[in-house]
Amino acid sequence: MSSAETVPPANLAALVHSDELARFDYGDDHPFKPLRARTTLELCARYGLLDGPGVVRITPEAADPGYLERFHDPAYLAVLRRASGGVHDVAALARGIGTEDCPVLRGIWEFCLLATGATRACVEAVLDGTARRAFSLVGGFHHAFRGRAEGFCYVNDVGAAIEDLLARGRRVAYVDLDAHHGNGVQDAFYAEDRVLKISLHESGATLYPFGGAETELGAGRGFGFNVNVPLLERTDDEVYLEAFEALVPPLLAAFRPDVVVAELGVDAHVSDPLSHLRLTSGAYYRLVQRLCAVAPRLVGLGGGGYDVFRAARCWTLAWAAMAEREPQDGYAGLVGGMMFGSENDGLFDRPAPTTGPAKERAQAEARRVIEFHRRSVFPRLGATPP
């Protein structure tokens, strides 16, 4: 029996963060804003979620480059390190560095090491009994491949963490809630039956990275261990939650992972400028609550989210779910205060249901994908529909 199952957790949840991560700047015109993490912490403090029994905060250290080599080609890492010093050449461009998505950024190497160190600290926290769940706000760079950068992601901290867990003999489930398909993670573990990969995302017909079809089921011994749930534009809370409940809990129950690694990207939110889904913050709260209920150990990683203030609200609720805390607004009833979206809305959005033919199409497509996986994946894993 693994130590993940035998060490009793000292706390419900660990929040892993360094403000150095939040200070890193991709540039004024780039949509990825690490400062979202600082905004989230301010909201968590406002709602009384950072202190008290069952909660611990961890300041991460930079990962050793060798940790990244668990996942990445060392030759690629050498190119990334040079680019971090300002070298912009053909070798970097061939590896995806120097594009609009992944520009040459001074200090990106150190940023990647620290972000990966934060993810590693989450893994250590859930394995050594520090906490049952751990959350890194600046993590989840799921688009990077073993040998190239892609989609705002220069390294794949998720992949490095999964490789670490596999080397320790753990069974890993990866659940990706980001609006964008986790292509880098899928590619790396496509033929692996020790990793169950489940990704709910906007269809590749309308959104980068333009893949992630339900028919991508894995290869070799990993066939049936790759589960994609592409969703149509305007998919709302009701449709998304139905798809999640129909697939994620029964598949996790059948697979019986030691650790669940979750990409908690919040760019499926109705306000996000880079996707076309319609989730509200309340949906994220319920999704993370359900993950906490079914995961023996949970590593949560921030992922995408490009409406800074709405992302902060969603992650504040995600943290509240992990810590099993009821958010209490110490500023309620006061004039002024912090502006996180509308100051009168609190953390929970107003309902934003899709109606009419768009809703009917989204629901019909989600149900078609659910039935496809019940026929193709459930028998392979021995899963039982709810």
Side-chain angles (χ1 to χ4, degrees), residues 195-208:
V195 183
L196 172 63
K197 301 156 294 292
I198 307 173
S199 178
L200 289 83
H201 51 267
E202 183 176 334
S203 169
T206 53
L207 193 69
Y208 169 88

Side-chain angles (χ1 to χ4, degrees), residues 132-170:
R132 186 181 305 166
R133 305 154 192 153
F135 188 20
S136 174
L137 295 164
V138 186
F141 296 97
H142 61 165
H143 294 308
F145 286 74
R146 293 192 185 273
R148 73 174 188 273
E150 189 172 302
F152 312 164
C153 304
Y154 297 80
V155 298
N156 197 317
D157 59 309
V158 186
I162 292 174
E163 291 285 11
D164 184 11
L165 288 163
L166 293 178
R168 301 193 200 195
R170 279 19 183 236

Side-chain angles (χ1 to χ4, degrees), residues 124 126 144 174 202-203 209 219 285 313 362 370:
E124 296 298 334
V126 301
Y174 173 66
E202 183 176 334
S203 169
Y285 186 55
R313 288 163 63 164
I370 290 167

Side-chain angles (χ1 to χ4, degrees), residues 17-372:
H17 180 67
S18 165
D19 198 54
E20 186 177 344
L21 289 168
R23 288 195 296 268
F24 191 79
D25 188 6
Y26 273 55
D28 291 343
D29 296 330
H30 200 286
F32 184 74
K33 305 293 184 186
L35 64 85
R36 304 169 306 178
R38 183 184 305 129
T39 307
T40 303
L41 286 174
E42 291 171 354
L43 262 184
C44 287
R46 170 177 174 167
Y47 282 88
L49 300 173
L50 295 180
D51 301 301
V55 169
V56 62
R57 295 177 65 180
I58 297 172
T59 301
E61 297 180 355
D64 185 274
Y67 193 81
L68 282 174
E69 290 179 6
R70 294 171 182 261
F71 183 87
H72 286 288
D73 174 2
Y76 165 70
L77 294 177
V79 171
L80 175 61
R81 194 166 189 170
R82 289 199 304 272
S84 181
V87 176
H88 189 175
D89 57 15
V90 174
L93 194 58
R95 298 283 194 164
I97 304 170
T99 66
E100 188 175 57
D101 280 359
C102 297
V104 171
L105 298 172
R106 286 191 176 272
I108 188 65
W109 172 251
E110 290 77 15
F111 171 78
C112 289
L113 288 178
L114 186 55
T116 302
T119 299
R120 183 180 188 180
C122 287
V123 171
E124 296 298 334
V126 301
L127 291 186
D128 68 15
T130 297
R132 186 181 305 166
R133 305 154 192 153
F135 188 20
S136 174
L137 295 164
V138 186
F141 296 97
H142 61 165
H143 294 308
F145 286 74
R146 293 192 185 273
R148 73 174 188 273
E150 189 172 302
F152 312 164
C153 304
Y154 297 80
V155 298
N156 197 317
D157 59 309
V158 186
I162 292 174
E163 291 285 11
D164 184 11
L165 288 163
L166 293 178
R168 301 193 200 195
R170 279 19 183 236
R171 287 169 65 80
V172 183
Y174 173 66
V175 179
D176 193 325
L177 305 183
D178 199 280
H180 301 83
H181 174 240
N183 54 339
V185 177
Q186 173 177 297
D187 180 79
F189 301 104
Y190 200 61
E192 179 59 74
D193 64 353
R194 295 175 297 166
V195 183
L196 172 63
K197 301 156 294 292
I198 307 173
S199 178
L200 289 83
H201 51 267
E202 183 176 334
S203 169
T206 53
L207 193 69
Y208 169 88
F210 312 111
E214 72 277 7
T215 52
E216 298 168 17
L217 293 172
R221 69 181 189 184
F223 182 81
F225 291 82
N226 197 79
V227 181
N228 285 319
V229 186
L231 300 163
L232 295 187
E233 294 176 302
R234 298 182 61 79
T235 290
D236 62 7
D237 289 358
E238 180 186 10
V239 173
Y240 195 105
L241 288 165
E242 179 182 342
F244 179 94
E245 287 293 339
L247 296 173
V248 177
L251 288 172
L252 291 181
F255 183 70
R256 300 179 63 190
D258 296 310
V259 179
V260 175
V261 177
E263 175 94 357
L264 302 179
V266 293
D267 46 2
H269 191 275
V270 61
S271 72
D272 198 274
L274 297 190
S275 76
H276 313 95
L277 303 180
R278 293 183 57 81
L279 269 62
T280 67
S281 61
Y284 282 105
Y285 186 55
R286 294 194 292 276
L287 288 164
V288 178
Q289 282 183 315
R290 289 295 288 136
L291 280 174
C292 290
V294 299
R297 297 288 186 273
L298 178 65
V299 170
L301 304 172
Y306 306 99
D307 178 332
V308 169
F309 298 118
R310 299 286 178 168
R313 288 163 63 164
C314 292
W315 282 326
T316 298
L317 286 169
W319 171 245
M322 290 185 203
E324 297 183 14
R325 295 287 192 85
E326 188 71 27
Q328 301 292 331
D329 186 358
Y331 290 83
L334 299 181
V335 176
M338 290 177 282
M339 292 291 289
F340 296 100
S342 171
E343 62 183 323
N344 297 317
D345 287 350
L347 294 174
F348 290 96
D349 302 319
R350 296 180 178 91
T354 298
T355 59
K359 175 63 169 276
E360 294 169 4
R361 288 193 296 270
Q363 194 162 56
E365 177 64 6
R367 289 175 176 174
R368 184 192 68 79
V369 173
I370 290 167
E371 289 306 314
F372 172 83

